[in-house]
Amino acid sequence: MLSGIHLISWGIIVLLASLVGDSIILIGTIKYKALRFHKVIIATMQHMAVYDLLQAVFRIFPFTLALIADRWVLGEPLCHVEENIGWVCGGMTIFLTCSMSTLKLIIVKLPLRARTWNSKVGHKICGALLLLELCLNAPGLVVHILYNQGAIFFSYGDYSCSYENLSPTIPEWFMQYSVIRVFLISALCYTTLIVTSILLLIVARRAALRSGASLRWRGVSTVLLTVAVLIGSSMPWVALFVASYLGVQYSVTVYRAIYSLTFLNIMANFFVYAPQIEVLGSSSS
């Protein structure tokens, strides 16, 4: 059974790993060019690091502090921030990982065309995905403001803030929209991740055979590990979210374990990218 000390320790580990690791990724890619990937992939990594840092500051830190104090101590405004940051940044992480795997597949399949892409292309793609994520989350924010006066509560189940989705004032269509959105978007994204990862392995292998060289795992393995960590850490929560709206009962321990598992993706990217980081200032390729 998960105890408070286990969750506090896990929160501290994730917080420190993300703050240090994602900061190193940003500094290493922006100032020192320490990751030798395609510029579009680098831009995507940078955006993922920013969203991980936002989650570390506005989601993991409040979670850990609430566990220590056994209550919410940061006030109602930050309660709203924590809830919305979790949804937006969590969704963006999934979208960006899909983007990374798809872009890597295109780069391997069409290297000459991809050679003309620069970091601006990557930033534009990430910006478009952010706009999409905001549009998907906007109905929820509007509904809670108009129908529920923005009522938000602190849950001892996962030691985080949450809007009252089961309030009788919430329109029934919004409940259906929430479940359908999470289920369909997740199914589409996970399918994209799995299919592009398999195709990436096949295309990369064929390209290596045509050129008479061995398969270069450097970029391929990084993308595949990023995909694997995301699916492993987030899919159980998506299943639990949909199940809860279908009336499936589960224990608080199961809920906390699955919710805490989502933190893995926030801290994991640095450990995935670290083997590819060259000595700062190195000009080797």
Side-chain angles (χ1 to χ4, degrees):
M1 182 174 181
L2 286 176
S3 65
I5 190 65
H6 292 141
L7 293 174
I8 291 172
S9 300
W10 176 236
I12 293 174
I13 291 172
V14 174
L15 179 63
L16 294 177
S18 178
L19 290 177
V20 175
D22 289 305
S23 296
I24 290 175
I25 290 173
L26 289 173
I27 295 172
T29 56
I30 295 173
K31 185 175 181 180
Y32 295 101
K33 314 298 182 185
L35 282 170
R36 314 295 289 188
F37 296 131
H38 194 285
K39 292 180 179 179
V40 174
I41 301 297
I42 292 292
T44 306
M45 289 179 175
Q46 291 170 347
H47 282 262
M48 292 178 70
V50 170
Y51 290 116
D52 285 346
L53 285 171
L54 286 173
Q55 290 193 86
V57 173
F58 293 106
R59 185 181 168 200
I60 307 302
F61 174 69
F63 166 83
T64 307
L65 193 61
L67 277 167
I68 295 173
D70 199 32
R71 63 188 179 91
W72 184 261
V73 296
L74 298 177
E76 184 175 332
L78 280 178
C79 207
H80 288 277
V81 172
E82 188 262 358
E83 166 71 351
N84 287 286
I85 282 290
W87 279 102
V88 173
C89 292
M92 279 303 298
T93 299
I94 295 177
F95 282 160
L96 289 174
T97 307
C98 286
S99 173
M100 179 185 292
S101 62
T102 304
L103 288 169
K104 184 60 180 178
L105 176 61
I106 296 173
I107 291 169
V108 174
K109 181 69 174 178
L110 304 171
L112 295 179
R113 179 174 299 181
R115 193 172 297 173
T116 62
W117 296 348
N118 54 28
S119 58
K120 290 183 179 180
V121 173
H123 292 306
K124 288 179 180 179
I125 292 173
C126 295
L129 291 174
L130 175 59
L131 181 60
L132 173 61
E133 179 62 29
L134 292 176
C135 289
L136 290 172
N137 281 278
L141 188 59
V142 171
V143 164
H144 286 297
I145 292 175
L146 294 180
Y147 292 91
N148 211 24
Q149 290 75 50
I152 196 168
F153 68 95
F154 173 70
S155 170
Y156 281 94
D158 55 13
Y159 281 85
S160 68
C161 295
S162 179
Y163 289 116
E164 183 52 82
N165 290 320
L166 299 179
S167 170
T169 61
I170 300 296
E172 184 178 349
W173 68 262
F174 175 69
M175 304 296 295
Q176 298 170 350
Y177 167 79
S178 298
V179 176
I180 293 173
R181 184 199 68 177
V182 171
F183 179 77
L184 290 183
I185 294 298
S186 299
L188 178 62
C189 289
Y190 290 138
T191 301
T192 300
L193 289 170
I194 293 172
V195 171
T196 54
S197 297
I198 294 173
L199 290 176
L200 178 57
L201 282 172
I202 296 173
V203 171
R205 180 59 179 169
R206 288 177 179 175
L209 290 175
R210 284 197 302 268
S211 63
S214 59
L215 178 59
R216 298 180 62 183
W217 283 100
R218 182 173 188 165
V220 174
S221 61
T222 300
V223 173
L224 294 179
L225 281 173
T226 303
V227 170
V229 170
L230 174 65
I231 292 178
S233 63
S234 63
M235 186 176 286
W237 183 89
V238 172
L240 192 68
F241 177 85
V242 175
S244 66
Y245 279 95
L246 297 177
V248 177
Q249 300 295 320
Y250 46 82
S251 67
V252 174
T253 300
V254 171
Y255 182 74
R256 287 179 178 174
I258 292 177
Y259 179 76
S260 300
L261 183 62
T262 63
F263 297 172
L264 178 63
N265 193 61
I266 298 174
M267 61 171 277
N269 286 338
F270 171 73
F271 297 99
V272 173
Y273 306 151
Q276 313 300 338
I277 296 178
E278 300 179 356
V279 178
L280 298 184
S282 173
S283 60
S284 61
S285 58

